[in-house]
Amino acid sequence: MRVLVMASDRVRQALADVAGPEISFAHVTTVEMLKRVLQSEAWTVLALDPTLLRDEELESVAALGREATYSLLLCAPFSRASARCAVIAARHAVADVFFTDVDSEPQLLALKLRALRPHSACGLLLHSVSQQVGALPPAMLSAIMRLFGALPLPSTVSEIISVPRTPRRTLDRQLHSAGFRSAKVLLEAVRVTWAWDSLRSQETRSISHVAFRCGYSSAHELWVHTRRLLARPPSLLARTAPSVTVLAPLVAHVILDAAR
């Protein structure tokens, strides 16, 4: 697994800390170097801090990823700026997100790296709803993007924006205006994609552990959600690579006009 990195020293160190013997890294510091190396060598993953690039540079780099064989992992401290940049990239390519300062557990970054092959469920869902996320007000956009890039997930919809706490009706109104069915449906969808990625990445394949880590009350609740939202039990998802086809019912469930 070859990982090309354009990010801070902190991110590079975090990646190195979770790397096994099968992972090698290279680092670039400029957009010109990044594009040249991407086009001249084969890579498994591009780990990129999207805030280091201007919007047009980010769009062009993401567009390269759409035609290439490498996966895109966006790594940055959580902020409105990094959330906005992540949405820009996700509109041009399938991209997963890891917010480096929200969850300090190295296992989460290792999970993200493993889930990228070939694409993560979180990344495919984000790509599918990026237009709707991009239409949200800045505070709401940041809160929704945090769901994709950090654990723990909120237990309830009211916790999506907790400081200052935003009324449920405001959350639903803003999300509905952007094209989502509701805050509850979106939170359910993000939670089940986290579970899918975790199931695929777990060496032990412990469904109970995945359920707890992703905020489900029990393995049975996870089973109910995966059957209802993805038409597959957790044991099958653990052996299923995420794809646009498998994810289609979930996207249709989340977006107002996805089934039209």
Side-chain angles (χ1 to χ4, degrees):
M1 184 178 187
R2 301 187 71 218
V3 181
L4 181 63
V5 184
M6 183 175 176
S8 66
D9 291 341
R10 179 179 178 180
V11 171
R12 296 205 305 275
Q13 185 59 54
L15 287 164
D17 289 344
V18 302
E22 79 284 1
I23 302 178
S24 61
F25 296 94
H27 175 239
V28 295
T29 57
T30 67
V31 177
E32 292 73 20
M33 289 175 61
L34 177 64
K35 289 183 177 180
R36 184 170 63 251
V37 174
L38 283 175
Q39 293 171 327
S40 62
E41 299 183 45
W43 300 94
T44 313
V45 174
L46 169 59
L48 174 68
D49 181 344
T51 64
L52 298 178
L53 281 65
R54 296 191 299 270
D55 288 358
E56 61 272 18
E57 293 172 337
L58 182 57
E59 290 173 357
S60 65
V61 168
L64 284 175
R66 193 169 55 236
E67 307 298 330
T69 58
Y70 61 82
S71 301
L72 181 58
L73 179 62
L74 305 172
C75 299
F78 176 68
S79 67
R80 287 193 179 184
S82 60
R84 186 189 71 84
C85 289
V87 174
I88 291 173
R91 292 184 70 170
H92 291 270
V94 176
D96 206 347
V97 185
F98 175 70
F99 291 119
T100 59
D101 60 337
V102 177
D103 190 319
S104 59
E105 294 184 37
Q107 292 85 352
L108 181 59
L109 180 54
L111 184 156
K112 286 286 188 181
L113 284 172
R114 290 194 298 267
L116 286 170
R117 294 177 279 181
H119 290 304
S120 68
C122 281
L124 279 169
L125 178 62
L126 176 58
H127 180 61
S128 299
V129 303
S130 58
Q131 181 176 349
Q132 288 75 22
V133 176
L136 292 168
M140 179 66 75
L141 183 153
S142 299
I144 297 304
M145 285 305 303
R146 187 199 180 284
L147 302 179
F148 288 93
L151 290 177
L153 293 173
S155 300
T156 64
V157 167
S158 63
E159 297 173 9
I160 291 177
I161 299 183
S162 56
V163 183
R165 190 171 294 278
T166 301
R168 169 71 178 272
R169 62 182 179 276
T170 302
L171 290 171
D172 279 331
R173 183 176 65 252
Q174 291 183 354
L175 287 166
H176 194 273
S177 296
F180 292 106
R181 293 188 186 277
S182 70
K184 178 177 181 293
V185 167
L186 179 57
L187 180 57
E188 279 185 347
V190 177
R191 194 182 306 281
V192 82
T193 54
W194 266 104
W196 188 356
D197 285 339
S198 299
L199 286 164
R200 292 176 59 237
S201 301
Q202 288 292 320
E203 294 180 0
T204 61
R205 296 287 189 263
S206 169
I207 294 174
S208 295
H209 175 77
V210 168
F212 175 77
R213 182 66 189 271
C214 296
Y216 290 99
S217 61
S218 65
H220 177 71
E221 184 185 19
L222 172 58
W223 185 90
V224 170
H225 275 221
T226 59
R227 292 282 299 182
R228 175 168 61 86
L229 298 174
L230 293 165
R232 286 167 168 79
S235 57
L236 181 55
L237 286 178
R239 306 188 302 272
T240 304
S243 67
V244 172
T245 301
V246 179
L247 207 70
L250 183 63
V251 174
H253 182 62
V254 170
I255 299 176
L256 282 169
D257 61 352
R260 291 180 186 175

